[in-house]
Amino acid sequence: MTRLFNDPAAFADEMIEGFVASHSRWVSRVSGGVVRNTQSTPSTVALVIGGGSGHYPAFAGLVGQGLAHGAAMGNLFASPSAQQIYNVAKAANNGGGVLLGYGNYAGDVLHFNQAQARLRAEGIDCRSIAVTDDVSSAPPAEHAKRRGIAGDLTVFKVAAAAAEAGYSMDRTIEIAERANHRTRSFGVAFTGCTLPGADHPLFSVPEGRMAVGMGIHGEPGIGETDIPTADELAELLVAKLLTEIPERLPGEAAGAAARSRVVPILNGLGSVKYEELFVVYRRVAQLLAEAGLEAVDPQVGELVTSFDMAGTSLTLFWLDEELETLWHAPADAPAFRRGAVTADALEPADFTDPAEIEASIPDASDESRAGAIRVLAALGAAKNVVDANAEELGRIDAVAGDGDHGIGMERGVRAAVDAAAAAVARGAGAATTLHLAGDAWADKAGGTSGALWGMALRAVGDALGNTNAPDAGAVAAGVAGAAAAIMDFGKATPGDKTLVDVLVPFRDALAGGVDAGQSLADSWGAAATVAQQAAEDTAQLLPLMGRARPHAEKSLGTPDAGAVSMALIVRAIHNTLVEEKSVKENA
């Protein structure tokens, strides 16, 4: 368990503060993460990596000369927001474009793609590489659906070396994709992990058993076995990976010699001692040699952890001549060093944190400012209901996910309320208040739900505007816009067991009531009842999206946490609409 913390909600921020204080030779802090504290070659590609906190030395430990230029750091086990990624990328940009690197998790994909679109809109050449090395998370035919684990290191290292050597963006992304194609990982776990302040782990493994293929957030693997000996574990790991020797890419040079050289990485997930890892690697080395493979620069230690999870993974990175040269290139980061690197420190004036530039508040009518006050009341009601149900939302989410939905929703809605209150105090209209609240929700919550709720609030704000008083038609149009944005970006449809299974029937019921001439309060109330039933009905669905998908049957009989939280929120908002209606009728 995690024993040393202050306020659990502040753990990630305080961890980053301490990391920067202890590694200031390498990194400086910007809003959203860290960037190099050393000078980079102008007009070269900048590699910005990132993901949730709780996996050190991924991701901040890999920022330094010869490795990443910056790392966007989300909350515990939650992807960084698009705003965080954007801030880090802007600070790290050398003028040669930005390559974003991340694990292939739904929240990361959403947020990094949003940041990429924003950077491109500003004229910055931005590309992405999603690492997909975990062989247990999808079959070979669905390689693009696999998640990224310890193979992050190989992809990030060679891509960074290519950028450092002055490769163009096209050549750098080709290197990253080739490295990803040639990297395979397979892991096991003996226990779960416990987040700061929690009195029980996010997930558990039966005593005396080993989860095979479990993900670094507790995502289900492919089964369980009795705990093996160290040699038996090595045999399991190597045998599995040798069934997936990468196929040669189109246009890739042939050569059996190059394909017999691999970088093995035996990674500890947090609680397995280094001595144990060495015992396992002893047999791994023997097995690789017996298979005719030459181990190049083996790595044994903690490269991607999961708090105090007891587990390990083996990665094999299949080299060619160019990849091997880039792997051996010098690097100097807090958690990974190779060769000799010389770099001058940056002066404080050499970069600006984009988050320090305060956004202006557009003009708004008195009617819209009054609407902004109603928006703040609605968000306050959402906060109260999420706070009251956060533990239960986490419990539901843990059935087939990682159990952090309640925590993420709390972080997001609290940030949204604070941002909305600040906007109202500055005279913002309804649209601006919702836009800032949505950005804050996405920024602080991270994860998939953070991105989706941020989109939803922005869409409603777009419909309300800053000129007219919000009315039932505009609100219904905003909800319709939110549903369209979420389904377009997240690709979920009704029946996938997500919040869309609540949002779509809520949208339709609300629009039906408004079109029939009912008041907003009456239309919303009827639609909230529909939403509640829709959330309950998700218990009978199998998840087709997100982290619960690999072992969907585990969630059968339990409603989707995102669907439940949405139903709770729309009901809570209805209460504020009823109160507003009552005030007007009694005025």
Side-chain angles (χ1 to χ4, degrees):
M1 63 183 295
T2 304
R3 299 175 177 83
L4 300 177
F5 55 89
N6 297 308
D7 178 1
F11 185 89
D13 282 338
E14 293 181 348
M15 177 273 296
I16 296 171
E17 183 180 349
F19 169 74
V20 172
S22 60
H23 293 86
S24 58
R25 179 168 77 83
W26 291 275
V27 299
S28 292
R29 186 171 188 178
V30 295
S31 179
V34 297
V35 294
R36 285 185 188 177
N37 200 23
T38 52
Q39 295 181 15
S40 301
T41 304
S43 300
T44 55
V45 174
L47 173 67
V48 172
I49 61 177
S53 296
H55 302 303
Y56 189 83
F59 297 87
L62 302 181
V63 176
Q65 208 74 21
L67 240 161
H69 295 73
M73 303 169 68
N75 277 300
L76 302 178
F77 287 10
S79 64
S81 69
Q83 183 65 47
Q84 289 176 299
I85 299 160
Y86 170 84
N87 290 342
V88 174
K90 286 281 284 187
N93 183 25
N94 300 315
V98 177
L99 173 59
L100 303 175
Y102 51 92
N104 194 30
Y105 298 90
D108 290 312
V109 173
L110 287 172
H111 286 291
F112 276 91
N113 281 346
Q114 281 184 314
Q116 176 177 275
R118 184 173 174 185
L119 292 163
R120 286 178 173 177
E122 296 183 6
I124 297 173
D125 185 8
C126 185
R127 317 282 182 90
S128 297
I129 178 69
V131 181
T132 55
D133 60 304
D134 185 0
V135 301
S136 65
S137 54
E142 299 180 334
H143 186 273
K145 293 182 179 180
R146 288 178 168 176
R147 58 202 176 208
I149 51 175
D152 285 354
L153 176 63
T154 67
V155 178
F156 298 162
K157 172 61 178 71
V158 298
E164 202 79 37
Y167 283 33
S168 68
M169 175 64 82
D170 287 342
R171 287 279 289 121
T172 302
I173 190 68
E174 187 274 325
I175 287 292
E177 290 173 346
R178 196 192 324 162
N180 185 51
H181 174 75
R182 286 171 161 266
T183 301
R184 300 286 190 276
S185 300
F186 185 56
V188 299
F190 311 108
T191 69
C193 60
T194 305
L195 297 183
D199 56 7
H200 58 275
L202 284 177
F203 55 90
S204 60
V205 179
E207 186 71 26
R209 300 283 284 175
M210 179 179 75
V212 179
M214 177 176 280
I216 59 175
H217 308 96
E219 301 94 336
I222 57 177
E224 288 181 2
T225 68
D226 290 336
I227 295 178
T229 65
D231 282 1
E232 289 169 342
L233 176 58
E235 290 158 8
L236 170 68
L237 297 174
V238 172
K240 178 64 176 178
L241 293 183
L242 291 188
T243 65
E244 283 216 20
I245 299 174
E247 295 293 329
R248 189 172 292 111
L249 288 169
E252 185 179 334
R259 299 184 61 77
S260 68
R261 294 170 64 79
V262 297
V263 174
I265 300 172
L266 187 63
N267 174 61
L269 285 165
S271 289
V272 174
K273 296 185 291 295
Y274 272 65
E275 289 85 350
E276 294 174 276
L277 294 175
F278 293 140
V279 172
V280 175
Y281 186 75
R282 158 194 158 275
R283 182 58 178 151
V284 168
Q286 294 170 355
L287 292 167
L288 294 177
E290 290 171 7
L293 299 173
E294 183 175 351
V296 177
D297 191 28
Q299 304 293 309
V300 179
E302 294 181 343
L303 284 309
V304 177
T305 62
S306 185
F307 265 98
D308 58 335
M309 184 195 292
T312 185
S313 65
L314 178 64
T315 299
L316 293 183
F317 175 34
W318 300 78
L319 298 169
D320 62 24
E321 185 175 349
E322 184 176 28
L323 291 176
E324 183 167 352
T325 298
L326 294 169
W327 174 260
H328 286 298
D332 183 26
F336 193 90
R337 302 172 199 173
R338 286 290 175 276
V341 175
T342 302
D344 295 328
L346 282 175
E347 296 297 328
D350 287 343
F351 70 87
T352 301
D353 187 345
E356 294 176 356
I357 304 172
E358 186 176 42
S360 61
I361 298 294
D363 292 336
S365 67
D366 290 341
E367 293 82 0
S368 187
R369 285 197 289 268
I373 295 173
R374 295 174 64 186
V375 166
L376 177 57
L379 289 170
K383 172 186 174 298
N384 291 339
V385 77
V386 168
D387 285 346
N389 291 276
E391 185 174 349
E392 175 63 8
L393 293 172
R395 185 196 68 77
I396 294 172
D397 188 41
V399 171
D402 57 16
D404 69 347
H405 183 71
I407 296 172
M409 289 293 291
E410 274 191 311
R411 288 192 299 249
V413 73
R414 289 176 182 179
V417 169
D418 290 345
V424 168
R426 297 176 64 193
T432 301
T433 300
L434 280 163
H435 288 168
L436 294 176
D439 291 347
W441 191 316
D443 190 26
K444 294 300 182 183
T448 306
S449 66
L452 300 183
W453 275 97
M455 286 180 194
L457 296 189
R458 272 200 157 270
V460 176
D462 289 342
L464 298 188
N466 284 321
T467 302
N468 300 321
D471 59 22
V475 172
V479 171
I486 286 174
M487 289 190 288
D488 178 63
F489 201 79
K491 307 306 179 187
T493 57
D496 286 345
K497 195 164 187 172
T498 70
L499 60 80
V500 167
D501 290 297
V502 168
L503 180 55
V504 167
F506 175 77
R507 174 202 66 189
D508 295 344
L510 178 63
V514 171
D515 290 345
Q518 297 177 5
S519 69
L520 176 59
D522 291 343
S523 300
W524 192 286
T529 299
V530 171
Q532 182 176 347
Q533 184 60 54
E536 294 172 3
D537 290 346
T538 62
Q540 306 311 313
L541 298 176
L542 291 173
L544 301 178
M545 303 284 286
R547 292 178 182 171
R549 177 183 57 82
H551 277 210
E553 68 278 0
K554 287 190 174 183
S555 77
L556 193 61
T558 301
D560 177 68
V564 171
S565 62
M566 173 158 280
L568 289 170
I569 287 173
V570 297
R571 174 58 69 189
I573 290 175
H574 175 246
N575 295 335
T576 70
L577 297 175
V578 170
E579 292 169 2
E580 177 70 19
K581 180 180 179 182
S582 176
V583 168
K584 287 184 176 180
E585 290 175 348
N586 295 326

